[in-house]
């Protein structure tokens, strides 16, 4: 609140500058750094001229701490504005085709004159699974420039939803993408049913998704995800040569 002169009272000014966020801005300000550098230089000259009296030594110590603090705040990464992006894969139904006979592979009658459908035999099945991929921001900090990558190993996976990297990912608006996993190959009834009914098909468990996003300060982060619903917040930038952007 302004006083009668149109200026902030001294108590308000002190309160503003001693709050953590304001103090941090003050300590990493270039003007503060120049004053501390001047104090360090002037303190050294003063101490030398006074035969290293304790007063200039205090000035040197305070200025030195200020310089070190400035360097740490400027060049050591500050992750307090980091978003926490995590993914989740949930099933959304599926389809299994009737078995198709395979020449010289599917079982025949005892006299070998005709093919038969029987449990345990190998047939050509088409199995399709639908999944919802939820991408959530589990933090109060918005995530920007969100990009999704998939491992470039061959998987029978296709993405049927589009997303915009220009849309920020906020805590209250998760991103949902439709994924289809489909296989068309020889297998038994049990194998086809296992793909249809399992939460994650066996040959889909090693599929890796990578989400890249930035904080408000445009610092880049990555989360690695596998269909077993495990999220890993990577500490180092991954090699994107092993991935392709979705």
């Amino acid at each position: 609140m302004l006083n009668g002169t149109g200026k902030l009272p001294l108590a308000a000014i002190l309160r503003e500058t001693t709050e953590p966020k304001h103090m941090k801005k003050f300590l990493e300000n270039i003007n503060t750094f120049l004053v501390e550098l001047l104090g360090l230089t002037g303190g050294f000259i003063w101490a030398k001229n006074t035969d290293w009296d304790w007063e200039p030594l205090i000035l040197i110590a305070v200025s030195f701490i200020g310089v070190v603090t400035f360097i740490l705040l400027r060049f050591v990464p500050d992750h307090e504005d980091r978003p926490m992006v995590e993914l989740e894969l949930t099933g959304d139904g599926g389809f299994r085709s009737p078995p198709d006979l395979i020449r010289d592979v599917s079982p025949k009658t005892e006299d070998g004159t005709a093919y038969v459908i029987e449990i345990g035999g190998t047939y050509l099945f088409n199995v399709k699974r639908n999944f919802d991929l939820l991408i959530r921001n589990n933090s109060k900090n918005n995530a920007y420039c969100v990009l999704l990558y998939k491992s470039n190993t061959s998987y029978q996976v296709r993405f049927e939803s589009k997303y915009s990297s220009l849309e920020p990912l906020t805590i209250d608006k998760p991103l949902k993408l439709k994924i289809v996993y489909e296989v068309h190959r020889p297998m038994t009834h049990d194998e086809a049913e296992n793909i249809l009914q399992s939460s994650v098909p066996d040959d889909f468990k090693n599929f890796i998704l990578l989400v890249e996003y930035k904080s408000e300060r445009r610092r880049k982060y990555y989360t690695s995800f596998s269909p077993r619903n495990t999220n890993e917040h990577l500490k180092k930038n991954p090699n994107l040569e092993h991935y392709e952007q979705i």
Side-chain angles (χ1 to χ4, degrees), residues 84-232:
M84 297 297 289
V85 175
E86 296 179 328
L87 298 84
E88 179 184 7
L89 192 70
T90 59
D92 189 31
F95 165 81
R96 191 206 75 182
S97 70
D100 284 339
L101 298 171
I102 305 175
R103 183 182 180 87
D104 297 329
V105 174
S106 299
K108 295 182 178 181
T109 57
E110 291 185 1
D111 59 10
T113 58
Y115 290 97
V116 294
I117 302 295
E118 60 182 26
I119 299 299
T122 299
Y123 305 94
L124 188 63
F125 285 94
N126 186 73
V127 185
K128 177 181 177 181
R129 292 288 307 276
N130 301 314
F131 294 94
D132 287 331
L133 177 67
L134 295 176
I135 306 176
R136 293 189 178 94
N137 181 359
N138 292 326
S139 74
K140 64 180 181 180
N141 302 312
N142 293 346
Y144 300 93
C145 304
V146 178
L147 294 175
L148 194 62
Y149 299 84
K150 65 178 180 178
S151 48
N152 54 21
T153 308
S154 178
Y155 287 94
Q156 296 85 356
V157 177
R158 65 179 183 270
F159 286 74
E160 298 199 333
S161 300
K162 300 294 183 180
Y163 70 95
S164 172
S165 62
L166 299 178
E167 288 284 341
L169 187 62
T170 60
I171 190 171
D172 59 330
K173 293 181 180 179
L175 177 64
K176 180 189 286 189
L177 300 179
K178 293 289 185 181
I179 296 180
V180 174
Y181 168 80
E182 189 169 10
V183 291
H184 186 68
R185 64 169 184 250
M187 63 184 90
T188 65
H189 285 81
D190 287 344
E191 291 170 336
E193 194 65 21
N194 182 62
I195 293 175
L196 183 65
Q197 299 298 334
S198 62
S199 58
V200 180
D202 287 341
D203 57 354
F204 188 40
K205 289 180 178 178
N206 294 324
F207 182 65
I208 299 296
L209 289 170
L210 194 69
V211 58
E212 174 188 296
Y213 47 100
K214 294 180 181 180
S215 66
E216 189 168 346
R217 296 185 181 181
R218 295 306 186 260
R219 185 170 287 125
K220 193 178 293 184
Y221 298 98
Y222 292 90
T223 299
S224 177
F225 171 79
S226 78
R228 301 179 187 186
N229 283 336
T230 57
N231 286 280
E232 181 184 359

Side-chain angles (χ1 to χ4, degrees), residues 46-62:
W46 183 15
K48 189 175 181 180
N49 292 334
T50 59
D51 197 21
W52 304 101
D53 194 10
W54 62 272
E55 289 180 329
L57 291 178
I58 292 176
L59 176 60
I60 291 174
V62 172

